[in-house]
Amino acid sequence: MHLEELHLEKLPCDYADVRVEERYRSNLVYRNFETQSGIELQDTSAFIRVFHNGRWFFSTTTDIEKIGREIDRLMKLSGRFPGISSPLTVPHATRRNIIRCADENARLHPLREKKRVLESYFFIYRKEKKLADCTAIYADWWIRKHIRSSKGHQCTYDTTMHGLHFDFTVKDGGQMFRSRFGVAYPVFLRLSGLQNLVSRDLAEAKRFLRAKTVKPGTYPVILSEQTAGVFAHESFGHKSEADFMMGDKKMMEEWQIGKRVGASTLSIVDRGNVWGTCGYCPFDDEGTMCRKTYLIRNGILEGRLHSLETATALGEKPTGNARAINGQFEPMVRMTNTYIEAGASRFNELLEGIELGVYVKSFRHGSGLSTFTIAPDRAYMIRDGRLAEPVRVAVVSGTVFQTLKDIDGLSSRVRLFRSVIGGCGKSEQAPLPVSFGGPKVKVRQMHVS
Amino acid sequence: MERESLEIEIVEISLNVKNSSINSVRRKEVTRRAARVFKEGSLGLAAAQGDVPFDDLFKRAENALALGIEWNYDLPTDTVYTRDATQGLDSLTEDGICSLGETVLKQLTSRNPDFIFSDRIGGARKKVRLENSKGISLSLATQETEIGLTFKHRESSNIIDGYHAAGWLRDVNTEEYIERYNEILDGYRNSSDLKSARRKVVFLNEGMVMAKFREVLRGDRYYRGASLLSEKIGEKIFSENFTLYDSNDLVENGYCSPFDMEGVKREESDLVLIEHGVLRDVVLDLRNGAKYGRKSTGNGYRAYSQNPDIRFNALRVERGKKTLDEILDGEEALVVLLASGGDFLDNGDFSTPVQLSFTYGNGKFIGRAPQVTLKSNLLRMFGEDLVGISCDSFMSDRINPYLIMEMDMEVH
């Protein structure tokens, strides 16, 4: 079935759209250097939405020929729920095709070549006498999305990513340290020739075997580019998702545009149209063009993230942040690539003046509720303005607004973090590929335990 | 050459709840199929979503043999088993789930107009069929209903203030779900003062404190020396009162998986992992069982598109003889509803911020506690600091009872 044959604009409903996703994925899993799994998957699915009388009706199918049948079913279902017509505001119908990876994508590389690349790093771990356990993963994806709506959207784009991930445990006597190393690139060839990087990472991990658990307390903290990104994502990004504000007067009062919420040096951005990132999407899953959205600019609340529905409800413009994890789920307001903009300091300048503090270099996971958290993978003590010994930290946490105000230094280089493992979770939909990052960020105090 | 086929059919109806009303209705019908072939020490895997014929998948699986995924264990044989856990249940329909959602939301919002409820209510019917050329023919049908609603006080500036969820494979007990929800909200409306101290702590959702067991009791990590408990089978490590099972058939408590995704159906539903504090066993799949000279414990699970890996069933703690209130004997405790973002370190040290907890005494939530951080260590939490394990639980059909443990609590 061609999507053009659907004639969605003629449906007697307030809005309808169809998103068809073609997906290729492959992965290889090794446990302690023995192949455990390897597969290539390719499928197509369609997600159909009808909005009528203020309520959504969704269906999904892996049989593209049945899209018409599913639309009919949803139209009948919507008739069972009477209500008041409430059209979505669709300011602009996107009619664009952005195909960027026709010549370089995950489908074009045979699985045996991916296997060869992953195995080219095994000798580094194999020769390590302190290695107790190692899981090695290769994963990639290529996705092409087609979106058509009753308001005239006709757009298609594609994206791809390839990555390696090592989850390993080193052990010495009774001491153990579990850590991870990963890289991801839109260009497959970039995964080769990283042996020095992997070796240095493993050598650093071994230093943590002798690390002590941090003395719990409040410390000045410097977040690396990667962990600053987690902070931006967890502490503020989720709170900028406008679906949390629909019908909630208190939240609208608390989150008034123009309110000062952070240090004057702080700007946090969400931007989907950054090629080569995990959150790349030139338009979202409703066909809205993605753009650079300042959530905070110079410490002032400037924007929030929207779908068509939340933008209509709040009387604001859609931002291109309606995303679904795959073709079997409805889009909801999600981040794309979220980052803190650069400052002007060097790392040494951030360290200066910290008598006793903690540097959080990498993370295992993060969360963002009233208290945001970062569970560090690797962290170091800061003593007398210099990086000191490795330290074991279970969690770094803080309250969002206090921490935003406590930021008192940003380094000058922004880096975005990519991974083919994990992603963002919200409600039932996880993991959604996103990128996040920032400069190194100095915070006057955070709780470390 | 040996062959194995797996088919998973899912019909799911899900309501998205926003601002205390039903915002969307979604129906999802998905068929997932996988084929594996085993030949001369290698296995090949192919999988697809949709109505892809098994003949095609087996051809693709044979082509995948060239990838060289090692196969060095015996496949299970000669077991025919069919289980239909949906018998007697109403069929899954949009009308039925919408009616359930409307009932729950009406009752919650009419009694608690000062709160906003969001997230998801839904049901899913799932059929799993696994067959192999060695005489394995297994099938399972289940139907799960789940209510998971966040709450937020209308005067709160948080995204959410808390969450209460329940799932059922048999009769849906909305009455108890709403009663417990009301108790939580009543507790939320009051506030309690606390000072940093060592306190008795109860986790209403024990998943976080049990999470480390899902790592340290993995057979592969255990036998490679990469577990905190390696080489300790037979040793007494935890409290005399602590007995832990991997349980695969608890249909009345919302969990039913009597065979694993390799076709292993173990004889007993309960696998004893820790018995009165003594480490008794770890869990294994076929590959790791063969590698370490053991049998699979029936813990080889996989997504349809993967080969199996070790995964736990329900981790079930043996119930004690006293109720929570009898164990506390009039003393106050901190009851944790929402603790997100904490973790265990490799040495077992544990720390977590607590986003929502209550002081509890005399059978009720007294008031909402300030934000705290809890600290302990796995060996202490289930050892010397384990105050008691109750015979009752927060919801009558929950798998696990209350675990009461002393922990260091720091008030922020």
Side-chain angles (χ1 to χ4, degrees):
Chain A
M1 166 176 274
H2 292 290
L3 291 178
E4 289 72 17
E5 296 169 13
L6 291 173
H7 302 296
L8 297 173
E9 69 283 357
K10 293 182 179 169
L11 292 173
C13 61
D14 294 328
Y15 175 84
D17 66 19
V18 175
R19 182 177 85 252
V20 173
E21 294 200 14
E22 300 170 74
R23 282 180 173 254
Y24 167 92
R25 291 172 289 148
S26 74
N27 66 63
L28 295 154
V29 180
Y30 287 70
R31 295 254 186 241
N32 297 307
F33 315 111
E34 291 177 9
T35 47
Q36 191 196 32
S37 201
I39 195 166
E40 292 181 286
L41 290 163
Q42 191 152 5
D43 51 51
T44 302
S45 52
F47 198 89
I48 303 112
R49 305 195 305 169
V50 167
F51 185 68
H52 195 53
N53 293 342
R55 190 171 279 185
W56 287 100
F57 301 89
F58 305 140
S59 185
T60 179
T61 178
T62 50
D63 186 347
I64 301 306
E65 298 302 319
K66 290 182 179 167
I67 292 175
R69 186 197 73 172
E70 291 303 306
I71 290 173
D72 291 343
R73 214 173 52 75
L74 291 182
M75 290 306 302
K76 277 185 195 157
L77 183 61
S78 70
R80 288 194 223 166
F81 296 91
I84 301 164
S85 178
S86 55
L88 291 179
T89 305
V90 183
H92 177 71
T94 307
R95 290 170 184 260
R96 277 188 73 180
N97 294 341
I98 301 179
I99 302 299
R100 293 198 63 151
C101 35
D103 298 328
E104 165 56 4
N105 69 61
R107 281 190 316 171
L108 301 176
H109 304 282
L111 200 53
R112 64 175 181 280
E113 187 61 19
K114 298 166 185 175
K115 187 171 186 259
R116 188 194 63 73
V117 169
L118 182 62
E119 289 179 352
S120 73
Y121 296 98
F122 285 2
F123 78 96
I124 298 165
Y125 292 99
R126 273 181 192 276
K127 71 181 182 186
E128 176 50 60
K129 289 180 181 151
K130 290 178 179 166
L131 190 81
D133 192 65
C134 181
T135 298
I137 297 170
Y138 171 91
D140 62 22
W141 65 72
W142 168 85
I143 303 164
R144 188 159 58 194
K145 299 192 185 195
H146 313 266
I147 298 148
R148 300 289 184 274
S149 82
S150 59
K151 299 293 184 185
H153 290 91
Q154 288 187 28
C155 44
T156 298
Y157 81 92
D158 63 356
T159 184
T160 194
M161 192 61 69
H162 318 77
L164 308 174
H165 183 88
F166 295 90
D167 180 322
F168 58 93
T169 302
V170 284
K171 186 179 180 186
D172 192 1
Q175 297 297 316
M176 258 188 297
F177 183 66
R178 184 174 180 179
S179 190
R180 57 180 63 175
F181 172 84
V183 289
Y185 299 104
V187 176
F188 176 69
L189 283 177
R190 293 284 305 275
L191 297 178
S192 297
L194 303 172
Q195 281 75 9
N196 286 342
L197 193 62
V198 173
S199 295
R200 283 201 302 273
D201 179 82
L202 180 56
E204 185 194 24
K206 285 192 292 178
R207 294 185 61 204
F208 283 78
L209 282 167
R210 292 189 298 278
K212 300 231 166 33
T213 302
V214 72
K215 184 180 174 191
T218 301
Y219 294 87
V221 169
I222 297 180
L223 304 171
S224 68
E225 295 88 342
Q226 186 187 107
T227 53
V230 185
F231 168 71
H233 179 101
E234 299 293 357
S235 76
F236 203 79
H238 279 299
K239 290 179 177 57
S240 301
E241 293 166 345
D243 48 349
F244 291 121
M245 294 168 208
M246 283 175 66
D248 190 336
K249 285 180 187 168
K250 180 70 179 177
M251 289 296 270
M252 289 304 292
E253 286 167 19
E254 287 281 324
W255 291 80
Q256 277 189 11
I257 301 296
K259 180 179 176 180
R260 174 162 290 284
V261 292
S264 60
T265 52
L266 178 68
S267 296
I268 300 180
V269 167
D270 185 272
R271 185 174 188 178
N273 56 2
V274 185
W275 168 246
T277 56
C278 290
Y280 169 73
C281 46
F283 27 80
D284 70 5
D285 289 341
E286 295 180 320
T288 303
M289 292 297 289
C290 290
R291 61 181 198 180
K292 184 176 183 179
T293 304
Y294 275 95
L295 308 178
I296 300 174
R297 188 171 349 210
N298 301 327
I300 306 292
L301 186 66
E302 181 162 309
R304 43 187 151 243
L305 305 178
H306 280 299
S307 62
L308 289 174
E309 182 184 21
T310 63
T312 300
L314 271 59
E316 297 175 359
K317 287 186 179 170
T319 55
N321 286 89
R323 302 182 70 202
I325 54 168
N326 60 40
Q328 290 171 12
F329 289 89
E330 68 275 21
M332 56 201 296
V333 182
R334 305 297 294 265
M335 283 171 267
T336 57
N337 306 299
T338 313
Y339 57 92
I340 298 172
E341 290 201 316
S345 301
R346 284 191 261 175
F347 187 28
N348 283 348
E349 291 167 342
L350 297 180
L351 288 166
E352 275 172 19
I354 298 180
E355 197 174 315
L356 182 66
V358 175
Y359 172 59
V360 184
K361 186 178 179 188
S362 57
F363 75 101
R364 285 182 285 175
H365 54 81
S367 71
L369 293 169
S370 52
T371 310
F372 74 87
T373 67
I374 300 169
D377 183 36
R378 299 183 196 180
Y380 290 84
M381 294 304 299
I382 300 168
R383 297 184 190 278
D384 300 324
R386 307 182 81 155
L387 279 189
E389 75 278 9
V391 62
R392 295 179 194 250
V393 177
V395 64
V396 175
S397 61
T399 52
V400 176
F401 287 115
Q402 188 56 49
T403 307
L404 290 173
K405 285 172 183 159
D406 280 344
I407 289 174
D408 79 343
L410 303 164
S411 70
S412 56
R413 183 179 170 197
V414 170
R415 299 173 88 175
L416 284 180
F417 177 71
R418 293 180 296 257
S419 175
V420 288
I421 302 294
C424 174
K426 181 175 175 180
S427 188
E428 63 177 344
Q429 292 197 44
L432 179 75
V434 294
S435 280
F436 43 76
K440 289 187 172 72
V441 174
K442 181 179 179 181
V443 184
R444 281 188 206 96
Q445 58 173 6
M446 294 173 92
H447 195 267
V448 181
S449 62
Chain B
M1 182 170 70
E2 304 298 341
R3 290 154 55 111
E4 177 201 83
S5 65
L6 171 68
E7 182 175 76
I8 303 169
E9 291 177 276
I10 301 170
V11 178
E12 178 194 289
I13 296 164
S14 176
L15 311 179
N16 185 19
V17 177
K18 269 185 190 167
N19 201 15
S20 303
S21 57
I22 296 168
N23 175 262
S24 69
V25 184
R26 183 185 70 206
R27 183 182 183 87
K28 185 156 65 170
E29 289 186 31
V30 184
T31 299
R32 295 174 177 139
R33 289 177 180 161
R36 298 200 298 164
V37 296
F38 305 83
K39 185 181 180 184
E40 295 168 2
S42 294
L43 75 82
L45 164 68
Q49 294 196 101
D51 191 21
V52 179
F54 269 112
D55 285 348
D56 290 356
L57 288 175
F58 276 116
K59 280 180 197 158
R60 283 159 52 185
E62 283 183 46
N63 292 336
L65 284 168
L67 200 60
I69 298 173
E70 292 153 50
W71 169 52
N72 49 10
Y73 51 86
D74 295 331
L75 296 175
T77 61
D78 302 323
T79 307
V80 176
Y81 176 80
T82 298
R83 175 78 171 273
D84 183 356
T86 68
Q87 282 183 347
L89 296 177
D90 292 338
S91 57
L92 188 65
T93 64
E94 281 98 335
D95 283 342
I97 294 294
C98 285
S99 173
L100 171 70
E102 283 162 354
T103 302
V104 169
L105 288 169
K106 187 178 176 186
Q107 292 192 40
L108 282 175
T109 52
S110 61
R111 186 184 182 277
N112 307 289
D114 47 341
F115 285 90
I116 297 168
F117 302 93
S118 299
D119 214 3
R120 207 155 279 281
I121 296 170
R125 186 171 279 242
K126 187 174 176 184
K127 289 182 187 168
V128 177
R129 275 186 292 277
L130 181 76
E131 295 178 355
N132 76 15
S133 53
K134 304 276 273 185
I136 287 290
S137 178
L138 307 168
S139 73
L140 172 67
T142 55
Q143 181 169 305
E144 181 173 28
T145 305
E146 193 170 17
I147 308 175
L149 293 174
T150 63
F151 64 88
K152 176 191 176 302
H153 194 272
R154 289 191 184 276
E155 292 304 311
S156 166
S157 51
N158 293 326
I159 293 173
I160 65 165
D161 289 317
Y163 183 66
H164 178 43
W168 301 269
L169 289 177
R170 301 301 301 167
D171 297 328
V172 178
N173 191 346
T174 52
E175 197 174 311
E176 189 183 29
Y177 176 80
I178 290 166
E179 274 177 29
R180 293 291 91 79
Y181 218 134
N182 288 336
E183 288 171 16
I184 290 169
L185 300 180
D186 287 345
Y188 186 94
R189 290 186 182 96
N190 302 316
S191 57
S192 287
D193 280 336
L194 282 178
K195 287 182 179 164
S196 297
R198 194 164 165 75
R199 284 188 79 97
K200 289 186 172 59
V201 176
V202 182
F203 283 80
L204 284 188
N205 302 300
E206 73 288 348
M208 172 178 259
V209 290
M210 302 278 280
K212 191 70 175 175
F213 287 116
R214 295 180 185 275
E215 177 188 315
V216 298
L217 295 175
R218 277 182 66 109
D220 53 350
R221 292 191 71 83
Y222 178 87
Y223 287 110
R224 285 188 64 87
S227 160
L228 187 65
L229 306 183
S230 286
E231 300 177 19
K232 288 189 167 64
I233 284 183
E235 287 185 28
K236 184 159 187 187
I237 303 165
F238 301 105
S239 163
E240 174 74 20
N241 298 325
F242 183 53
T243 295
L244 182 68
Y245 304 94
D246 176 89
S247 299
N248 66 14
D249 198 347
L250 300 167
V251 71
E252 297 300 329
N253 306 97
Y255 187 86
C256 184
S257 185
F259 54 87
D260 72 6
M261 291 296 105
E262 298 188 281
V264 176
K265 185 180 180 308
R266 70 184 185 217
E267 288 182 8
E268 301 293 331
S269 162
D270 289 334
L271 173 70
V272 181
L273 299 171
I274 295 164
E275 186 178 32
H276 298 300
V278 178
L279 179 61
R280 291 294 184 204
D281 210 345
V282 292
V283 302
L284 292 158
D285 58 4
L286 285 170
R287 178 187 297 272
N288 284 289
K291 191 177 183 79
Y292 299 110
R294 299 268 321 266
K295 280 186 177 176
S296 165
T297 56
N299 289 83
Y301 283 94
R302 59 170 165 143
Y304 78 105
S305 59
Q306 297 287 318
N307 276 315
D309 188 15
I310 293 171
R311 204 199 76 191
F312 290 81
N313 290 291
L315 278 179
R316 183 173 71 82
V317 177
E318 177 116 328
R319 288 173 186 257
K321 293 191 170 64
K322 293 181 177 178
T323 64
L324 172 64
D325 291 336
E326 287 168 347
I327 292 169
L328 291 175
D329 194 22
E331 195 178 338
E332 276 189 16
L334 184 79
V335 173
V336 176
L337 182 72
L338 188 62
S340 170
D343 212 340
F344 285 90
L345 294 174
D346 297 305
N347 58 10
D349 285 349
F350 172 76
S351 179
T352 185
V354 175
Q355 286 81 10
L356 181 59
S357 60
F358 301 96
T359 50
Y360 176 92
N362 296 322
K364 65 173 192 175
F365 299 123
I366 299 167
R368 175 166 36 105
Q371 300 226 341
V372 301
T373 295
L374 295 173
K375 292 189 286 288
S376 189
N377 177 283
L378 181 76
L379 301 181
R380 290 206 309 272
M381 289 157 73
F382 293 92
E384 66 206 58
D385 290 346
L386 186 65
V387 176
I389 297 168
S390 71
C391 59
D392 54 344
S393 52
F394 188 53
M395 300 270 291
S396 57
D397 50 11
R398 280 247 169 117
I399 289 171
N400 280 314
Y402 296 109
L403 307 175
I404 303 106
M405 47 189 71
E406 287 209 329
M407 300 179 86
D408 294 325
M409 182 194 73
E410 185 187 347
V411 179
H412 291 187

